[in-house]
Amino acid sequence: MDKTSSIHGMWSSRLMFILAATGSAVGLGNIWRFPYMTSDNGGGAFVVVYLCCIAFVGLPILIAEILLGRHGRVSPVNTLRNLARETGMHRAWVGIGWMGIVAGILILSFYSVVAGWTLHYSWLYLKQLFGGAGIVDPGATFQALLASPLELTAWHALFMVLTVGVVALGVEKGLERAVRFLMPALFLMLLALVAYGYTTGHMAEAAAFLFRPDWSKINADVFMRAMGQAFFTLSLGMCTMMTYGAYLPKEGVSIPRTGLAVALTDTTVALLAGLAIFPVVIAFGIDPAGGGPGLIFTSLPLAFEAMPFGILYGLLFFGLLAVAAWTSSISLLEPATAFMVEKYGVRNRKRAAIVIALLCWLIGLLSVLSLNLWSEVRILDRDIMTFIEFIANDLMLPLGGMLIALCVGWALNRTILRDQLSDLPEGLFLAWRWLMRVVAPRLVLAVLVRALVG
Ligand code: PHE
């Protein structure tokens, strides 16, 4: 088999891969989920555990995923199948690919609902720009949105259509265009918001909340949340990065460096989002703890209302956040689509993407209803949306990551790894392999067992 290209197309350069992988990593996870997870799980202590998870578990597994993808050049399921044939490793490892497909579908189902909220807010600001009413009571505006199944469903549907559009067009045409200019624009917007946060005079308190750990807040549950967030934000554990790695050219592209660039950018964006949001939260007298999933939607509009050109900012901010969510959702859909394409032929790419997206949309309706009509329904003490998020994010992603680490650490031989990581100095290679073999799997297992069994 030709191992220099993939049937799905190839990234035109290393920069393009970095943009696409960053586009996948940076999304609602950084700007919506990270601040509210930090808010709900004890501030600084959560952030420190999260950063450790990124450095010692996330980044090494990110490297492993890209490596597997670039070696295999096909969708995760088939990459693992081929590896089993090639190296004699057990076929059970293929399960990682299947679990990734299921996790991707579950995550996209609620991800699209939340992305729909960002579309709705962009629309609100657009209307306001042309003289519509302002968001005077952000809490009430947010509650009104959640209370309307029809509106939620419509935005969820629109977002899914946008996602499918890009995936159906294929790697080069679709994905590259979306990430080239808009991601840097979002970064600038965040910087501007951090600067605004500074002018509120509450930056020091915000920084203390984010970075001064109160260790008494740490328990097994917080640890699990931080680990889940680390996997989620780096798009790990469900073979997204493996899929993107399959389209990465081999010549002259270093996987460790590329992975490091992606992880650093992603972490920077999350921390910037924290520094943008918490000064506003504090300045407007909101309790920084326990903000819940509505945090950015109920706090940032207060700042947009107060700052000069706030309406335009609001429009740009939520619009670009929708774009960031878009480049992530594309990558949630890609592993399953690539698999279907390999099964049914390249000419069926559009149909494959549509079928999977339709499935995600239907499952997403459960999340929509759990916000209003079915808000009383509880599974394991959680409403339906939180339950799906829990199963997919907090369980399946770390579990998938752990299996990837074990597969790369124990089932694959050194030759394959060294071939892909040829530029890594021997000492670092050994350290990375030790993280894969021992540290990452044990840590993930310990955290999951402690949190679930108590
Ligand atoms: N990393 C994305 C975000 O932070 C979400 C995502 C998770 C994308 C898993 C792909 C795979 O928003």
Side-chain angles (χ1 to χ4, degrees):
M1 196 180 40
D2 176 13
K3 284 277 183 134
T4 56
S5 68
S6 99
I7 59 162
H8 308 284
M10 294 292 284
W11 306 114
S12 55
S13 65
R14 171 179 127 96
L15 178 66
M16 230 37 254
F17 171 81
I18 292 188
L19 282 176
T22 316
S24 165
V26 174
L28 295 173
N30 308 60
I31 293 167
W32 161 71
R33 201 168 191 270
F34 172 74
Y36 100 75
M37 280 305 208
T38 304
S39 165
D40 287 0
N41 291 290
F46 173 87
V47 175
V48 171
V49 177
Y50 159 81
L51 290 175
C52 291
C53 289
I54 295 271
F56 298 112
V57 182
L59 175 61
I61 294 181
L62 176 60
I63 292 174
E65 277 206 29
I66 304 176
L67 169 161
L68 281 172
R70 192 167 75 171
H71 178 81
R73 288 277 177 246
V74 277
S75 72
V77 167
N78 286 324
T79 286
L80 292 158
R81 272 187 190 154
N82 293 346
L83 270 175
R85 224 170 280 138
E86 188 186 324
T87 65
M89 75 177 196
H90 201 281
R91 276 186 61 94
W93 292 111
V94 179
I96 299 174
W98 289 115
M99 192 167 79
I101 289 182
V102 175
I105 290 173
L106 288 179
I107 293 179
L108 184 53
S109 79
F110 71 81
Y111 200 85
S112 166
V113 174
V114 178
W117 303 351
T118 65
L119 288 177
H120 173 78
Y121 274 72
S122 313
W123 173 240
L124 288 184
Y125 280 106
L126 187 67
K127 277 200 303 197
Q128 210 180 326
L129 206 53
F130 291 98
I135 302 179
V136 254
D137 182 350
T141 307
F142 186 63
Q143 286 312 323
L145 171 64
L146 295 197
S148 164
L150 273 184
E151 236 177 307
L152 289 173
T153 305
W155 290 116
H156 166 46
L158 175 62
F159 185 78
M160 207 56 103
V161 168
L162 291 174
T163 300
V164 146
V166 175
V167 177
L169 288 175
V171 179
E172 274 147 59
K173 271 184 283 173
L175 306 193
E176 291 196 4
R177 274 184 212 159
V179 282
R180 196 160 223 154
F181 302 106
L182 297 170
M183 298 307 292
L186 178 67
F187 197 77
L188 292 181
M189 279 302 297
L190 272 180
L191 282 182
L193 279 179
V194 174
Y196 173 77
Y198 200 76
T199 66
T200 64
H202 293 275
M203 187 53 94
E205 282 158 82
F209 180 73
L210 275 170
F211 300 118
R212 194 169 306 146
D214 169 359
W215 296 116
S216 69
K217 298 264 169 59
I218 287 285
N219 56 33
D221 202 46
V222 168
F223 223 110
M224 179 176 75
R225 292 285 151 75
M227 176 89 82
Q229 174 63 16
F231 277 96
F232 185 74
T233 194
L234 287 177
S235 308
L236 289 184
M238 55 148 286
C239 306
T240 286
M241 290 300 179
M242 209 189 288
T243 311
Y244 274 18
Y247 316 148
L248 178 65
K250 182 133 193 268
E251 288 315 308
V253 182
S254 153
I255 292 179
R257 272 172 213 239
T258 312
L260 185 64
V262 173
L264 280 179
T265 315
D266 185 75
T267 309
T268 310
V269 173
L271 296 179
L272 281 180
L275 288 175
I277 287 156
F278 284 106
V280 173
V281 167
I282 297 169
F284 286 91
I286 306 172
D287 184 359
L295 184 65
I296 64 163
F297 299 96
T298 50
S299 63
L300 287 182
L302 293 167
F304 296 140
E305 203 63 31
M307 64 204 269
F309 303 109
I311 301 171
L312 192 60
Y313 262 94
L315 172 61
L316 284 175
F317 177 81
F318 284 111
L320 289 170
L321 181 53
V323 173
W326 193 29
T327 56
S328 300
S329 63
I330 291 162
S331 74
L332 280 160
L333 199 51
E334 183 63 23
T337 309
F339 174 72
M340 298 266 279
V341 166
E342 282 156 19
K343 200 164 165 71
Y344 299 108
V346 180
R347 289 190 20 245
N348 291 314
R349 186 172 183 73
K350 277 198 184 77
R351 202 177 306 162
I354 292 172
V355 169
I356 301 160
L358 197 62
L359 182 65
C360 295
W361 182 77
L362 285 172
I363 301 175
L365 295 181
L366 294 174
S367 289
V368 166
L369 290 170
S370 82
L371 295 169
N372 35 65
L373 302 179
W374 293 355
S375 60
E376 301 301 311
V377 178
R378 286 284 176 281
I379 312 174
L380 292 182
D381 254 358
R382 296 167 172 88
D383 63 63
I384 305 174
M385 182 162 166
T386 317
F387 178 73
I388 296 179
E389 202 182 327
F390 167 70
I391 295 287
N393 277 16
D394 292 347
L395 296 186
M396 292 176 89
L397 294 189
L399 207 58
M402 182 181 92
L403 293 173
I404 289 167
L406 287 172
C407 175
V408 167
W410 297 98
L412 293 187
N413 64 37
R414 193 187 149 89
T415 325
I416 292 182
L417 307 180
R418 248 340 195 165
D419 174 46
Q420 291 295 333
L421 302 179
S422 53
D423 65 316
L424 201 60
E426 185 64 16
L428 280 178
F429 175 77
L430 290 176
W432 171 78
R433 207 166 178 210
W434 175 69
L435 288 172
M436 285 294 98
R437 289 186 152 204
V438 185
V439 181
R442 282 204 192 166
L443 206 64
V444 175
L445 194 67
V447 168
L448 289 186
V449 169
R450 284 285 301 272
L452 295 178
V453 190

